[in-house]
Amino acid sequence: MNELFDDILAALADRPKKLTDVKSWLFVTVNTCRALVDNTKKEDLHVIAELAEVKTAAELQRRFDMIQGLYGREGFTLRRDPRYFYLSSLAAYFEDRELTDEDRAFISEAGSFGRYLIYEI
């Protein structure tokens, strides 16, 4: 997972407006959610594990929005940071598609990763 993190970090250095690779998009979305929850209310990290239950990209985007709404207002210290806005924009724009069992396993793995893009981009 560290290698993927570093690859995504390098790709984000070019500031793409959209992610086309599903693994990169899943990672950015889940990692940003985890940063929100971890920064705001660590005891709620179980919410991130629940992301692996989603069936579609659109459903993951809705869950992302719900997490943003709940934890972003609760005291997320970076909620006005341009890095946060950038990562959120990447999470928001991805074509809807069914998520496979492999995608959900990846979401679960990414959801337990403890480095955050928002602090390193």
Side-chain angles (χ1 to χ4, degrees), residues 22-115:
V22 70
K23 279 202 171 181
S24 296
W25 177 77
L26 289 170
F27 187 86
V28 167
T29 302
V30 172
N31 189 262
T32 305
C33 283
R34 184 177 161 95
L36 271 160
V37 175
D38 192 15
N39 183 272
T40 306
K41 197 171 182 184
K42 287 184 189 310
E43 60 270 17
D44 284 358
L45 280 172
H46 62 87
V47 170
I48 302 307
E50 295 168 4
L51 294 175
E53 300 169 6
V54 300
K55 303 289 185 209
T56 66
E59 186 179 349
L60 182 57
Q61 288 166 322
R62 283 191 296 280
R63 296 249 185 130
F64 179 88
D65 290 344
M66 290 182 336
I67 288 170
Q68 273 190 306
L70 181 60
Y71 296 95
R73 283 182 290 208
E74 255 189 47
F76 182 58
T77 58
L78 298 172
R79 73 175 185 215
R80 299 212 191 307
D81 190 295
R83 297 171 297 178
Y84 170 64
F85 290 128
Y86 175 62
L87 292 172
S88 295
S89 74
L90 292 175
Y93 298 104
F94 196 80
E95 67 184 53
D96 192 22
R97 66 188 288 279
E98 293 289 320
L99 298 178
T100 65
D101 290 340
E102 182 181 315
D103 293 334
R104 283 188 285 284
F106 180 78
I107 289 170
S108 184
E109 186 179 355
S112 64
F113 189 69
R115 286 175 64 194

